[in-house]
Amino acid sequence: MSKLSFSGHSPLTKTHKYSIAGIATLGAAALAFTLVPGNSTAEAETISAAPVAFEVAAGKPQIKDVHASVTNQMATADQQVKNAAAKLKATQVAATKRAADAAAAKAKVDAAAKAKVEKDRQVREAASRAAARKPVYANNLDGWIRESLDIMKAKGIPGSYNGLHRNIIRESSGNPQAINNWDINAINGIPSKGLLQVIPPTFSAYHVPGTSWNIYDPVANITAAANYAADKYGSMDNVNSAY
């Protein structure tokens, strides 16, 4: 067999080689088609070979698109997770703040209630101490004089137990309901009344605040009379007769 000679011709270029390979491929495909005439299955498989190859080749840019889509979806999902975490954290912070506010409000209410209880206790104790300090006066002449003397002392009205007692016995014999219906005052319509026989105008003018306005009240009668005597005579101790 003689060898083919390509002397005098330039060597095949890369383009020529690709063209020859393409022709060979087409020839093989045509030969395969010729060898199986009437065979629909083989025909379908042979015919579909080229489109499959095309789809695979054409799929390369689609893979890039899918990769980009997946990347975007992952980024979106990651952002959603971050947003959910931030929302959860904000909810927890708000819940913590509400709990702290509620605790502070409760503490304030409890403190106010505790303060009120303490204040009430102090008021009760103060009242109890005051009551304990307040003397208890007997409901008799001795008690009336002693109570009057304490009031007189607080108001700056002079007088002594003896001075009050002496004048009370002379004026009414110690009867707080005594009334003089025969002297000049009675004739003038303003009879003397009470332990120290005080006429109503004098009782009103020299009434001591804090005592009863009833002229027959023993303590009110004594303190008003003592106040009048202090103004006119310096003290009830200086009175030894009708005054």
Side-chain angles (χ1 to χ4, degrees):
M1 182 182 288
S2 62
K3 298 182 180 179
L4 293 174
S5 174
F6 293 91
S7 59
H9 296 279
S10 61
L12 294 175
T13 65
K14 188 177 294 185
T15 303
H16 295 152
K17 291 179 181 180
Y18 289 156
S19 299
I20 293 170
I23 294 169
T25 301
L26 291 174
L31 180 60
F33 181 80
T34 304
L35 291 175
V36 287
N39 190 332
S40 60
T41 304
E43 182 181 5
E45 292 178 352
T46 303
I47 292 172
S48 63
V52 169
F54 174 76
E55 289 176 2
V56 170
K60 291 183 180 180
Q62 294 178 1
I63 292 174
K64 292 182 181 180
D65 293 341
V66 170
H67 177 72
S69 176
V70 171
T71 301
N72 291 337
Q73 291 177 5
M74 292 178 64
T76 301
D78 182 61
Q79 185 61 45
Q80 291 176 345
V81 170
K82 290 181 179 179
N83 292 342
K87 185 176 180 180
L88 177 60
K89 183 176 180 180
T91 301
Q92 292 173 340
V93 170
T96 301
K97 185 177 184 302
R98 287 195 298 270
D101 291 343
K106 184 178 183 301
K108 185 176 180 179
V109 171
D110 291 344
K114 185 176 180 181
K116 184 177 184 304
V117 169
E118 177 62 19
K119 184 177 181 180
D120 291 344
R121 184 189 66 79
Q122 292 176 354
V123 169
R124 288 194 303 271
E125 289 183 354
S128 178
R129 289 192 297 269
R133 290 193 300 268
K134 184 176 180 179
V136 177
Y137 304 103
N139 188 26
N140 55 32
L141 182 58
D142 178 73
W144 300 331
I145 293 174
R146 293 186 185 281
E147 185 175 357
S148 296
L149 284 170
D150 286 343
I151 296 172
M152 291 163 58
K153 182 178 180 181
K155 301 296 183 179
I157 301 171
S160 67
Y161 184 96
N162 290 334
L164 293 175
H165 187 272
R166 183 180 72 250
N167 282 283
I168 288 172
I169 296 300
R170 187 189 68 251
E171 293 291 335
S172 65
S173 300
N175 178 12
Q177 299 299 317
I179 181 171
N180 187 327
N181 289 315
W182 55 267
D183 65 4
I184 187 61
N185 291 320
I187 295 172
N188 292 331
I190 48 172
S192 302
K193 301 176 180 179
L195 288 175
L196 283 170
Q197 292 294 283
V198 183
I199 61 175
T202 300
F203 178 81
S204 297
Y206 289 92
H207 173 264
V208 177
T211 63
S212 172
W213 278 96
N214 181 2
I215 194 171
Y216 289 107
D217 179 84
V219 175
N221 188 281
I222 293 172
T223 53
N227 193 26
Y228 168 77
D231 182 46
K232 299 299 181 180
Y233 306 101
S235 171
M236 184 63 75
D237 294 346
N238 300 327
V239 177
N240 296 299
S241 59
Y243 61 103

